[in-house]
Amino acid sequence: MRKQQPSQPIPPDTDHSQQTNQSDAASLPTVPAEAHQESAEKRQRGSARAGMAVIAGRTAGALSRRLHIGGGTSIIGVVAQRVYPDIVAHLATELEHGSIMVTGTNGKTTTSSFIAAILRDDGLRVWRNREGSNLVGGVASSLVIRAQPNGHLRRSGAAISILEVDEAALPKLVRAIPPRIVVFTNLFRDQLDRYGEVDSVVNKWKIAIAQLPASTTLILNADDPTITQLGENFPGRIIYYGIDDIQLEAAEPAETDTEKRYQVLDTRTCAHCGAEYEYSARFYSHMGHYYCPSCGKRRPTPDIRISRVEMESFDRIRLQIATGEEAAHEIIVPLPGLYNIYNALAAAAVAHAMKIGWDAVTTGIEQSKPVFGRGERIQVEGRTIRLLLAKNPTGFNEVLRTLFSDNSSRHILFILNDNIADGQDISWIWDVDFERAVHHIETLVVSGTRAFDLALRMQYAGVDEQKIMVVPPTPLKALKTLHTTHSRQQKKLHIRRAKKDNVEYNTQENIKLPEYVYGIKNALDGALQKTPVGETLFIVPTYTALLELHRELEQRGFTSRYWEGRDA
């Protein structure tokens, strides 16, 4: 298919009251030549420092890879910022087509991937921060990797950057990089020990939005009441996206009392008057068609909307997307889950904001492949592994709904970690509807730093204890003690038998001891052994567990490192 020419950046809204005619311009004071010279010297000094930062950062990355300390990506940005703290702002201003930022609790990575595919199909060169983290240091790495030793972006910065941004990092990043577009996907309770409650995140986002120029476009999820309030008092352009097909709710089975008990509503009350929202349609959690019976606040009418949804198979969802009075356009989303419908719609909203044609939107989304851990498919020893990241109660509930909505029985490996990047408070697992999975689990392995907590939760859900294989990350002290005690008892038994048979006790005799398996390697092997050849093992890990698991699969040669094949 012939690629379309890149869309030109949308010019900022023009305030005609501030325009000046030629006579007015003639009366304006001229800028002294000394000021021009000082500005040029300042830019030159900045480029020199940026060049040193680029060289230092990339050298640190190369050393990290050479010494096998890591992938050598995150350290690039850390070192570069130490050398030149303004390196991000310096390089970002050279991007010819600006930057798009994507933030939210869930869906950032997949939404960014959809947007990148659409823009590439429209002819743009796209740069992303998938090599590093979604924090400031990761964004710095993504820019430094694409910079030259002279302190300038390669190819004169003829690209657009799509930056996946951590919720808490947004205020700092918008100060350094005034974005062309900011996408807000959703807001759910996540990592309470790091972010706090959802209100804390909303306040951070409002601080970030207050710093945006009026030329920035906000893309907001109309079905999330916490997101729509971000558009209040914003002077720039706002595009709302949402699902209008209320049959999607009707297609779901009626909730049982147990399912209602585990339905996580992270936003219940109106931000204006405090009254509890009511819903004419609710798709999951607090997402849907809401209104406040007290003050009248309600879901805004979406500028781009889904008029019809057809779930054709696990990996195929047919959508009808419409804007304004235009006829709906059909798009196939090749990923599972209702959450990916929202991700695809957010990407289509970005294309709408940039006036990109539907051909690029259709091919970009339909030809997308699952990104790192988000439905990713890996072939291992005649079996298929599907990785489905779940890092908070709402996300985990949606993964479970996706897995068990057709009442199929699945082979499952759950991995729960409580490292800093996961959130060290794992009490949220008691808000997850594991009861939904009870009668649809063919085999089950649980692992991770909190494997026993998860196993206990599964038992309370109703899973037979004998059906749960628990694989902790390391040998537990209690297991070591049990192992030692058992060996002593075996030794005494052998001595008694030797005396009874009037033979000499052989101290070199091999005594068979119970085996205690531990570690991600054994968890993966155990789950694969339980999964018959030709079938699929579904692995649902938290974030650091996903990194650890992926590293194991990389070492076995089943997949490549997630940052390889980065954008040119």
Side-chain angles (χ1 to χ4, degrees):
M1 185 184 72
R2 182 178 176 271
K3 291 187 177 180
Q4 303 175 11
Q5 291 301 311
S7 304
Q8 295 300 314
I10 300 172
D13 294 336
T14 303
D15 185 351
H16 297 285
S17 65
Q18 296 180 0
Q19 291 182 341
T20 57
N21 55 35
Q22 292 181 354
S23 61
D24 293 332
S27 64
L28 292 174
T30 58
V31 180
E34 293 82 359
H36 282 296
Q37 184 177 358
E38 182 181 354
S39 178
E41 291 176 353
K42 185 177 180 180
R43 287 196 300 271
Q44 188 173 2
R45 288 195 301 271
S47 295
R49 291 191 65 185
M52 289 188 291
V54 169
I55 293 171
R58 296 179 72 163
T59 300
L63 285 173
S64 176
R65 289 190 294 273
R66 178 66 63 86
L67 298 174
H68 303 288
I69 297 174
T73 53
S74 296
I75 195 173
I76 294 175
V78 173
V79 171
Q81 285 182 294
R82 289 287 181 87
V83 176
Y84 185 27
D86 293 331
I87 185 67
V88 172
H90 175 87
L91 293 176
T93 56
E94 296 187 355
L95 284 163
E96 183 178 333
H97 298 284
S99 297
I100 297 172
M101 294 186 182
V102 181
T103 192
T105 306
N106 296 332
K108 296 185 290 291
T109 303
T110 302
T111 300
S112 298
S113 178
F114 280 146
I115 296 170
I118 291 170
L119 298 189
R120 287 196 191 97
D121 277 12
D122 194 54
L124 283 170
R125 178 177 294 113
V126 178
W127 291 345
R128 294 174 60 193
N129 60 320
R130 63 184 178 186
E131 303 93 345
S133 69
N134 55 19
L135 301 172
V136 178
V139 173
S141 291
S142 70
L143 292 170
V144 171
I145 285 170
R146 295 168 174 84
Q148 297 173 318
N150 62 4
H152 297 287
L153 290 176
R154 65 171 182 255
R155 301 186 185 180
S156 302
I160 186 169
S161 69
I162 302 173
L163 304 175
E164 178 187 335
V165 179
D166 177 84
E167 300 93 297
L170 188 66
K172 188 172 182 179
L173 271 172
V174 297
R175 286 197 296 271
I177 309 175
R180 177 176 174 177
I181 295 173
V182 184
V183 181
F184 291 89
T185 59
N186 47 58
L187 181 57
F188 300 110
R189 175 162 46 98
D190 185 36
Q191 297 187 37
L192 292 178
D193 50 350
R194 178 174 170 230
Y195 294 117
E197 290 289 351
V198 292
D199 290 343
S200 300
V201 179
V202 169
N203 290 334
K204 286 185 175 69
W205 284 351
K206 287 181 177 179
I207 291 171
I209 290 172
Q211 303 174 67
L212 296 175
S215 58
T216 298
T217 298
L218 295 186
I219 308 290
L220 304 181
N221 188 339
D223 293 348
D224 187 335
T226 56
I227 297 296
T228 57
Q229 64 176 292
L230 299 174
E232 297 170 359
N233 303 318
F234 179 67
R237 184 185 183 194
I238 301 175
I239 294 177
Y240 292 101
Y241 65 94
I243 298 176
D244 275 0
D245 184 8
I246 61 173
Q247 296 301 315
L248 186 63
E249 182 194 48
E252 288 295 312
E255 290 180 333
T256 65
D257 290 339
T258 300
E259 289 171 332
K260 289 179 180 177
R261 190 174 77 209
Y262 289 107
Q263 185 59 264
V264 180
L265 296 178
D266 291 325
T267 298
R268 292 179 178 271
T269 57
C270 175
H272 292 275
C273 68
E276 190 163 332
Y277 284 121
E278 295 184 7
Y279 286 81
S280 58
R282 184 161 59 82
F283 304 124
Y284 69 90
S285 187
H286 54 261
M287 307 277 282
H289 297 186
Y290 55 88
Y291 63 94
C292 175
S294 178
C295 69
K297 175 180 167 59
R298 63 177 56 243
R299 168 187 184 258
T301 301
D303 300 285
I304 180 166
R305 63 193 185 278
I306 293 178
S307 57
R308 184 171 176 77
V309 177
E310 294 180 51
M311 303 284 191
E312 295 189 347
S313 65
F314 184 81
D315 275 325
R316 184 179 174 88
I317 307 171
R318 187 181 300 273
L319 306 180
Q320 297 286 336
I321 302 180
T323 57
E325 299 300 322
E326 293 182 10
H329 299 268
E330 187 172 273
I331 292 177
I332 303 295
V333 178
L335 298 176
L338 178 56
Y339 43 90
N340 279 316
I341 295 176
Y342 277 109
N343 296 336
L345 186 57
V350 170
H352 177 65
M354 296 179 65
K355 300 180 180 177
I356 291 175
W358 280 101
D359 286 346
V361 177
T362 301
T363 57
I365 291 177
E366 291 186 0
Q367 295 176 14
S368 291
K369 299 189 182 305
V371 292
F372 177 62
R374 282 77 172 177
E376 186 178 5
R377 183 188 289 107
I378 300 172
Q379 298 300 321
V380 178
E381 299 172 352
R383 303 161 178 85
T384 300
I385 287 179
R386 296 299 299 268
L387 301 178
L388 299 164
L389 174 69
K391 57 192 182 72
N392 50 53
T394 296
F396 217 126
N397 277 337
E398 284 308 297
V399 167
L400 293 178
R401 177 162 73 163
T402 301
L403 285 177
F404 303 114
S405 59
D406 61 355
N407 294 324
S408 297
S409 292
R410 308 289 193 187
H411 301 277
I412 303 291
L413 168 57
F414 289 139
I415 313 177
L416 175 65
N417 279 0
D418 64 347
N419 298 318
I420 292 175
D422 303 293
Q424 294 176 307
D425 179 357
I426 54 94
S427 60
W428 57 266
I429 64 173
W430 295 92
D431 292 331
V432 177
D433 184 14
F434 287 109
E435 281 73 5
R436 177 190 287 268
V438 170
H439 301 296
H440 308 295
I441 292 178
E442 190 72 25
T443 61
L444 175 63
V445 178
V446 295
S447 188
T449 59
R450 302 303 289 268
F452 287 99
D453 297 78
L454 187 54
L456 179 65
R457 174 67 186 92
M458 299 303 296
Q459 290 179 48
Y460 268 89
V463 179
D464 183 357
E465 179 183 357
Q466 301 301 318
K467 202 171 187 178
I468 305 172
M469 178 181 179
V470 183
V471 183
T474 57
L476 300 181
K477 186 175 181 180
L479 291 181
K480 289 181 179 179
T481 303
L482 181 63
H483 190 282
T484 303
T485 303
H486 190 94
S487 64
R488 288 172 180 168
Q489 291 173 344
Q490 287 280 68
K491 182 177 180 180
K492 290 179 180 178
L493 179 61
H494 277 255
I495 292 174
R496 285 199 300 268
R497 286 177 177 173
K499 288 181 178 179
K500 181 179 178 181
D501 297 337
N502 197 24
V503 296
E504 182 178 355
Y505 171 66
N506 183 4
T507 57
Q508 303 299 318
E509 183 180 358
N510 292 325
I511 301 175
K512 186 176 181 181
L513 300 175
E515 295 182 1
Y516 299 104
V517 296
Y518 57 89
I520 197 72
K521 178 182 182 298
N522 286 320
L524 177 61
D525 287 339
L528 285 171
Q529 289 170 9
K530 289 175 176 291
T531 305
V533 173
E535 296 197 23
T536 299
L537 170 63
F538 293 90
I539 304 180
V540 186
T542 53
Y543 183 69
T544 63
L546 173 62
L547 295 177
E548 188 179 358
L549 177 67
H550 218 275
R551 191 156 45 245
E552 177 64 29
L553 291 169
E554 291 162 12
Q555 291 173 353
R556 298 188 188 192
F558 293 125
T559 187
S560 60
R561 292 176 292 185
Y562 62 89
W563 63 81
E564 289 182 342
R566 57 179 179 254
D567 310 311

